[in-house]
Amino acid sequence: MAAAVATHWTAHARRFEVNAATREPAWIKGTLIVVALAFFGLFLLLPLATVFAEAFRKGWQVYLAALVESDALSAIALTLLTAGIAVPLNLVFGVAAAWAIAKFNFRGKQLLTTLIDLPFSVSPVIAGLVFVLLFGAQGWFGPWLMERDVKIIFAVPGLVLATIFVTFPFVARELIPLMEAQGREEEEAAIVLGASGWQTFWRVTLPNVKWGLLYGVILSNARAMGEFGAVSVVSGHIRGRTNTLPLYVEILYNEYYFAAAFAVASLLALLALLTLVVKSLVERRGRQQLSVGEESGAST
Amino acid sequence: MIKKLGDEAKTHDFVTRLFRNAPVLDGGERGATTTFTQHGLGDVLVTFKNRGEPLMHAGKPHRVLPGFPLALGYTLVYLALIVLIPLAAVFLKSTSLTWEQFWAVISAPRVVASYRVSFGASLLAAAINAVFGLIFAWVLVRYSFPGKRIVDALVDLPFALPTAVAGIALTAIYAGNGWLGQWLEPLGLKVAFTPLGILVALTFIGLPFVVRTVQPVLEDLDTELEEAGFALAFARAVGEYGSVIFIAGNVPMVSEITPLLIITKLEQYDYVGATAIAVVMLVVSFVLLFLINGLQFWANRGRARS
């Protein structure tokens, strides 16, 4: 995803402002900053502030009561469980895919990269639909599963599958460009000097990409915990059993428990903020790693 | 040399005559160079730059790193199980309809109205984001101002914030009694529960796509990637569900988006109908995806060349 690109522009901006050729008149600069900040406030800051303002509108007691409700607690548990299964599976896949794509040349590489991106461009609703078609009561494996009394749709396995689908590309997407940029010299050196494949991976590759990896994991975790459309299709909305946090927010909202809905939503908003904080930290570390890598690469 | 002289016989002849006329012949390249430069023997030094050749032509390109079959095999199996086979199921399921039936489902008035809402609002939202996202990215790249770090970090909020949360927050802001709604409605501007609300939600979720695609590119002033950012924002918006359904009002023919129609059909156990509409959306998103990857591929190639 484009967000992976390091975005530390302060030094860069100063360069443009110092250079007379690229410095714009003050009024243009002022206008543009005002327009950008107005857009920012209206479309990003206001929705975020609203979540917390609405959540606390009826006071602390109502807020806390909404969160310790047993349905809320089971929604939290289910959300953690789903993300806890989906994220590690996609992590292993992402590492394998990045190793194959970034370190080797083969035919159809471009196509494979495009196919890995597919879930990004598929509507979440369709991501849910595909699993209903496969495992639903009228689906292809439906009768077979029913005979064996295995429930996938309207049960936890369906939620996990849909979540895996929507978070599928995240880790691979972060790692591929990073590992391509780092090349394979270091790994080749390790192998030639007698390290085994796993040793090379754990001691050379992984330390080199750990920040990018962490970033991919954080992003897919945020999406896994916040996914709504796909899980909405496969969940069946059974309270206390198949409701993840976002689905629980919807139910509360539709039943006009606005304060409670926003209270639960504020948990997800906090998760989003935490994700952004970790993301900026990771980006800073990752940049150092990349620039150090470039310097040592240039000197050899 | 073969290329220059045309055929192998001529080349052979040329090399033979060359060697026959050479009074000093030293075997190795290094030896010949020493003889020529240090001892001053000979008139011409002929060297062959062919040391790389044997390596390149010695069978397959040589792989030092292990794990390729395992990594690629696992990637392909996992990709097939999670993504390709399930998506193929949609296309296969739709073949249970005849072409006429399929066409009847996807061209029903209510469905066509939903395309108009989904694609129209997505296109407009992407256009708004292309303009404001560009200004935003420009400001972030070119200027320094207090709080810039925080602004830069929060651009990704729509990526990180669950869509349902965004949906109820936007609805609360723009509803008749909301923070902005109470000022806008007296002016005759109803946002929540109208197509305008859909536009607001889609603009919200599309913004980071444009900013994050354009931001790194602004240094070189490339234009291809601006288009990729636009296409990304559009692709995301067309399929968007969570942030839209709360604010849309979901009035059939007016403010009903296509993904919601799929869910409506599923809830009526009309699996085939839902699948037919899904096929239309999938085809659109595949075309977009290949377009986006193509644009990025060409942009990268252009940069590599320059």
Side-chain angles (χ1 to χ4, degrees), chain A residues 7 9 12-13 17 22 24 43 46 50 90 93 97 99 104-105 114 118 121 123 130 132 140 165 228 253 279, chain B residues 63 66 68 75 78 82 90 138 141-144 152 156 171 173 179 204 215 219 239 242 271 285-286 293:
Chain A
T7 48
W9 303 98
H12 188 72
E17 280 174 79
T22 49
E24 282 131 9
F43 276 96
L46 191 55
T50 303
N90 284 339
F93 159 75
W99 183 261
F104 299 92
N105 288 318
T114 304
L118 261 187
S121 64
S123 171
V130 297
V132 173
W140 282 338
F165 185 98
F228 177 71
Y253 188 84
K279 177 192 166 259
Chain B
R63 277 184 189 137
F68 179 62
T75 302
Y78 193 75
I82 299 290
V90 176
W138 181 269
V141 172
R142 290 291 191 117
Y143 310 136
S144 33
D152 187 50
D156 287 322
T171 313
I173 295 169
W179 286 3
F204 172 79
Q215 212 174 15
E219 283 176 289
Y271 286 50
S285 44
F286 289 170
N293 273 19

Side-chain angles (χ1 to χ4, degrees), chain B:
Chain B
M1 209 183 280
I2 293 177
K3 243 183 238 160
K4 206 163 190 180
L5 291 172
D7 62 38
E8 205 161 332
K10 262 191 200 160
T11 313
H12 191 253
D13 184 48
F14 175 77
V15 176
T16 313
R17 268 190 289 146
L18 189 72
F19 280 163
R20 214 168 267 156
N21 290 323
V24 180
L25 255 182
D26 210 326
E29 189 183 349
R30 186 185 296 243
T33 312
T34 311
T35 313
F36 183 73
T37 55
Q38 305 262 311
H39 304 293
L41 291 169
D43 304 315
V44 181
L45 176 70
V46 181
T47 66
F48 299 92
K49 282 276 172 226
N50 63 352
R51 282 187 295 175
E53 292 281 300
L55 273 174
M56 284 168 72
H57 288 287
K60 287 201 257 171
H62 135 133
R63 277 184 189 137
V64 179
L65 298 183
F68 179 62
L70 178 70
L72 186 67
Y74 183 74
T75 302
L76 292 178
V77 169
Y78 193 75
L79 177 72
L81 282 179
I82 299 290
V83 178
L84 299 184
I85 295 173
L87 284 178
V90 176
F91 288 95
L92 268 176
K93 179 84 179 176
S94 71
T95 57
S96 64
L97 288 167
T98 66
W99 175 248
E100 284 77 25
Q101 288 170 317
F102 180 76
W103 182 251
V105 173
I106 65 166
S107 64
R110 188 171 165 190
V111 181
V112 172
S114 84
Y115 300 146
R116 206 161 40 228
V117 173
S118 269
F119 290 100
S122 301
L123 212 63
L124 257 176
I128 293 174
N129 277 327
V131 175
F132 286 95
L134 185 63
I135 295 177
F136 211 115
W138 181 269
V139 166
L140 284 178
V141 172
R142 290 291 191 117
Y143 310 136
S144 33
F145 52 90
K148 177 170 155 178
R149 267 261 188 63
I150 296 167
V151 172
D152 187 50
L154 277 179
V155 167
D156 287 322
L157 183 71
F159 277 146
L161 193 70
T163 53
V165 177
I168 62 171
L170 290 172
T171 313
I173 295 169
Y174 291 99
N177 57 358
W179 286 3
L180 284 178
Q182 60 178 321
W183 304 108
L184 293 174
E185 271 190 18
L187 302 173
L189 252 180
K190 250 178 92 67
V191 178
F193 317 124
T194 70
L196 212 54
I198 301 177
L199 186 64
V200 168
L202 295 183
T203 307
F204 172 79
I205 60 151
L207 179 67
F209 288 91
V210 177
V211 176
R212 292 306 185 212
T213 323
V214 174
Q215 212 174 15
V217 181
L218 268 184
E219 283 176 289
D220 319 332
L221 283 173
D222 253 331
T223 51
E224 289 103 320
L225 281 176
E226 157 84 324
E227 285 146 26
F230 178 86
L232 276 170
F234 177 73
R236 172 73 202 271
V238 166
E240 179 55 21
Y241 176 71
S243 59
V244 175
I245 50 154
F246 294 99
I247 202 172
N250 307 322
V251 182
M253 309 296 293
V254 178
S255 60
E256 196 174 45
I257 54 167
T258 314
L260 178 65
L261 258 187
I262 295 179
I263 291 210
T264 310
K265 294 217 178 261
L266 273 178
E267 278 167 359
Q268 297 161 352
Y269 299 103
D270 180 6
Y271 286 50
V272 184
T275 309
I277 301 174
V279 164
V280 174
M281 294 199 69
L282 276 179
V283 168
V284 171
S285 44
F286 289 170
V287 169
L288 277 171
L289 179 69
F290 279 92
L291 206 75
I292 293 163
N293 273 19
L295 279 174
Q296 278 170 341
F297 183 69
W298 283 111
N300 286 339
R301 177 182 274 196
R303 194 161 319 127
R305 208 184 288 138
S306 61

Side-chain angles (χ1 to χ4, degrees), chain A:
Chain A
M1 203 175 282
V5 180
T7 48
H8 191 238
W9 303 98
T10 314
H12 188 72
R14 208 156 290 142
R15 202 187 72 206
F16 280 115
E17 280 174 79
V18 168
N19 186 343
T22 49
R23 190 172 51 213
E24 282 131 9
W27 68 271
I28 294 188
K29 175 181 165 180
T31 315
L32 288 179
I33 290 184
V34 167
V35 169
L37 288 184
F39 197 73
F40 170 78
L42 193 63
F43 276 96
L44 297 174
L45 219 46
L46 191 55
L48 187 65
T50 303
V51 174
F52 292 101
E54 293 286 327
F56 288 109
R57 178 172 267 191
K58 292 195 176 145
W60 270 103
Q61 284 84 359
V62 178
Y63 180 82
L64 284 179
L67 296 185
V68 295
E69 182 88 20
S70 75
D71 284 348
L73 290 177
S74 65
I76 292 174
L78 183 59
T79 302
L80 291 175
L81 175 73
T82 327
I85 299 172
V87 173
L89 282 177
N90 284 339
L91 170 65
V92 173
F93 159 75
V95 170
W99 183 261
I101 290 174
K103 303 290 179 188
F104 299 92
N105 288 318
F106 55 93
R107 299 188 93 206
K109 190 157 140 174
Q110 185 69 27
L111 178 69
L112 182 62
T113 318
T114 304
L115 288 178
I116 288 175
D117 281 347
L118 261 187
F120 272 152
S121 64
V122 170
S123 171
V125 169
I126 296 178
L129 170 76
V130 297
F131 293 107
V132 173
L133 291 181
L134 286 175
F135 303 117
Q138 300 170 27
W140 282 338
F141 301 111
W144 188 87
L145 289 169
M146 228 186 292
E147 271 170 34
R148 282 153 190 81
D149 207 24
V150 180
K151 269 188 87 74
I152 291 185
I153 299 306
F154 304 148
V156 176
L159 295 174
V160 174
L161 276 174
T163 306
I164 293 178
F165 185 98
V166 293
T167 56
F168 182 88
F170 282 95
V171 177
R173 256 279 158 146
E174 287 311 316
L175 283 186
I176 292 170
L178 191 57
M179 280 166 71
E180 266 175 351
Q182 284 172 343
R184 51 193 148 195
E185 285 85 358
E186 288 184 32
E187 281 89 354
E188 281 172 355
I191 296 284
V192 168
L193 291 173
S196 75
W198 285 115
Q199 275 176 325
T200 308
F201 175 74
W202 288 109
R203 303 212 183 143
V204 178
T205 311
L206 209 56
N208 271 338
V209 298
K210 61 174 185 256
W211 296 111
L213 191 74
L214 184 61
Y215 179 45
V217 167
I218 289 162
L219 268 184
S220 51
N221 180 61
R223 183 74 199 269
M225 291 192 173
E227 179 50 32
F228 177 71
V231 293
S232 168
V233 174
V234 294
S235 133
H237 308 277
I238 307 162
R239 234 181 244 233
R241 300 251 316 274
T242 61
N243 264 342
T244 61
L245 277 176
L247 297 176
Y248 187 56
V249 170
E250 184 199 18
I251 289 190
L252 289 172
Y253 188 84
N254 286 343
E255 290 173 356
Y256 299 101
Y257 294 115
F258 290 137
F262 278 102
V264 178
S266 74
L267 284 185
L268 291 166
L270 279 178
L271 175 75
L273 286 179
L274 188 70
T275 305
L276 294 184
V277 168
V278 179
K279 177 192 166 259
S280 1
L281 290 179
V282 164
E283 258 174 14
R284 209 165 312 151
R285 303 302 285 270
R287 216 172 7 253
Q288 282 164 5
Q289 193 168 57
L290 255 185
S291 56
V292 167
E294 271 159 25
E295 275 160 27
S296 67
S299 66
T300 49

